[in-house]
Amino acid sequence: MPTLPPTTDKPAAGARRQHAGGGEPEEPDATQSVARAGGVDKGVQRRELGVFLRSRRERIRPEEVGLAPGGRRRTPGLRREEVALIAGVGVTWYTWLEQGRDINVSAQVLEAVSNTLRLDRQERNHLYTLAGVRLGPATGECAALPGAVQRMLDAVSPYPAIVLNSRYDILAFNDAYCEVVLDIREIPVEERNMLWLTFVSKEWRCRFSDAESIKVHLVAGYRAAIADHLGEHDWQDLTQRLLAGSPQFAEQWERYEVAAPSTRIKVLEHPTAGMLRIEPAIMWLSQLGQTRATVYTAADEDTETKLRALVPPGS
C-alpha cells in the first residue's frame, strides 16, 4: 500500500463527538457504529477513506458548485468547510472523517457528501465500502470453481473467455482465449494475475490497441475492489509487489481513480489474423462472490469469421 498520512489522535476516552448533521456533540453510541467487513483493518480503512475524500474534494473547482473562485487556497479544489457547508454536515465532523477518526456515520450523510463531491456510481459505491456501510448483502470469495464453469467456457468457443476474481487472479480460461489473447497455459500458476501480467511480467505484450487505457482501467478497478479487503495479507502483498515492480502501476495507483469492469468494444491486433474487434460480455457468478466470467464476442462479421478460423470446432 502507498504511504498514507498518519491518523490524528482520537478524542480521549469519554470525549463527546459531534453528530453527523452538525449541532451539539453527542456521546459515542456503540449501537450506531458502522458495520465493518470481517477481517478488515479498521484503522487502515479509515485512513484510506480520508485519502479518497481529499482526492475527490481537490478535483472540484469552487465555481463548479456556485462558490466564488477568489481568495488564496493552499490546495486546489474545495476546502473542508465548503464541503461540509454544501453537504449540510458539521465542519468538525467532516474534518474528523477526513482525518480518519473513528466516528459514527450514516448512509444519509454519505449520500449528501457523495452528491457534494459529484461522485459517479462507482466512486459512490467505493465511498460506502470504505465507510463500512453496506449497499447490499456481503459476499464472500470462493477460489474453487465448479466444473460447470469450465464447461461453460469451453462451450462458448470460438469466443475467448476467462474467469477473474475481484483481485484479477485468473481462475479459468478456454482454449480460444489462449489462441486469441494470451496463452495462459504457458504462464506459471503463481503469475496468473491480470495486473501482474499487464504491468510486470515479460510474458505478455498487450495486443489491444488501447493498451494504455486498459491499464488505467485495470488499476482503477483494483483500487475499487481493494476497499473490501484492506489489511488482508494477500491483497497487501500483491499491491506491494506491483508497486515495487512497475513504476507505471505506482504512478497510476497514486491517482486514486476507481472504476467498474468495462464492456466497451476492444480492438486487438492478432499476429496472424490481423485486426479483431471484440465486445466483452460480463457474467457475475453470484454463487462465487465477486468472481466474474468475461466472454469476448465478435463485434462484426469479419471478426466472427477470423475467430472461427483461429479456433476450429473441437479445439
Side-chain angles (χ1 to χ4, degrees):
M1 297 287 291
T3 302
L4 297 171
T7 327
T8 56
D9 293 333
K10 294 182 180 179
R16 298 193 299 168
R17 297 172 182 167
Q18 182 171 345
H19 113 3
E24 290 301 313
E26 61 181 10
E27 293 290 346
D29 181 356
T31 64
Q32 296 177 354
S33 296
V34 296
R36 298 302 202 276
V40 173
D41 186 313
K42 295 179 182 179
V44 172
Q45 193 172 37
R46 288 192 296 269
R47 291 195 297 273
E48 194 84 354
L49 173 61
V51 173
F52 179 64
L53 286 172
R54 286 193 295 276
S55 71
R56 302 303 90 170
R57 170 169 60 84
E58 291 173 357
R59 72 178 180 178
I60 299 177
R61 297 192 303 274
E63 54 268 32
E64 291 181 295
V65 293
L67 298 175
R72 298 185 60 183
R73 293 175 179 265
R74 291 180 297 174
T75 58
L78 298 179
R79 299 185 177 101
R80 286 172 176 167
E81 56 268 28
E82 292 169 337
V83 173
L85 174 66
I86 298 170
V89 302
V91 175
T92 300
W93 180 88
Y94 182 79
T95 299
W96 284 1
L97 188 66
E98 275 203 12
Q99 290 175 342
R101 304 272 189 127
D102 185 10
I103 59 175
N104 300 329
V105 62
S106 68
Q108 291 82 0
V109 170
L110 287 178
E111 193 65 25
V113 172
S114 175
N115 291 335
T116 300
L117 298 178
R118 300 189 171 189
L119 304 185
D120 61 25
R121 182 181 61 84
Q122 185 65 26
E123 291 171 328
R124 173 179 170 272
N125 293 347
H126 191 62
L127 172 66
Y128 273 68
T129 299
L130 289 175
V133 176
R134 290 287 180 186
L135 290 173
T139 55
E141 289 284 346
C142 179
L145 295 179
V149 173
Q150 185 63 57
R151 291 194 293 273
M152 177 190 72
L153 299 186
D154 294 338
V156 300
S157 184
Y159 298 149
I162 190 170
V163 174
L164 303 171
N165 61 15
S166 57
R167 199 176 57 187
Y168 290 95
D169 295 322
I170 300 170
L171 306 182
F173 51 90
N174 63 5
D175 289 342
Y177 192 92
C178 294
E179 294 294 336
V180 176
V181 184
L182 169 68
D183 193 350
I184 300 174
R185 297 166 299 196
E186 301 297 321
I187 305 297
V189 174
E190 62 273 15
E191 294 185 13
R192 292 181 183 178
N193 175 278
M194 196 58 67
L195 287 157
W196 184 262
L197 292 173
T198 301
F199 286 96
V200 182
S201 176
K202 306 301 182 185
E203 300 296 328
W204 183 30
R205 182 185 65 81
C206 185
R207 297 172 179 170
F208 291 106
S209 61
D210 59 341
E212 293 309 307
S213 173
I214 288 174
K215 290 178 180 179
V216 170
H217 202 84
L218 270 175
V219 178
Y222 181 64
R223 172 67 87 173
I226 204 172
D228 266 328
H229 303 277
L230 295 173
E232 294 183 19
H233 172 75
D234 289 347
W235 288 74
Q236 286 184 324
D237 179 66
L238 175 60
T239 304
Q240 291 300 332
R241 289 191 293 121
L242 288 167
L243 289 170
S246 172
Q248 185 178 18
F249 176 88
E251 188 272 329
Q252 291 180 13
W253 184 253
E254 291 299 331
R255 295 180 186 176
Y256 218 99
E257 299 295 332
V258 293
S262 171
T263 56
R264 68 183 185 278
I265 292 176
K266 301 178 185 295
V267 178
L268 182 149
E269 190 66 32
H270 191 272
T272 60
M275 187 181 74
L276 302 173
R277 298 180 70 250
I278 54 179
E279 184 173 9
I282 298 176
M283 294 169 284
W284 293 95
L285 307 178
S286 58
Q287 76 274 29
L288 302 176
Q290 292 299 304
T291 302
R292 62 187 181 272
T294 301
V295 179
Y296 292 92
T297 62
D300 53 44
E301 291 184 6
D302 182 58
T303 298
E304 181 79 31
T305 300
K306 290 177 178 178
L307 287 178
R308 294 192 179 279
L310 283 170
V311 190
S315 65

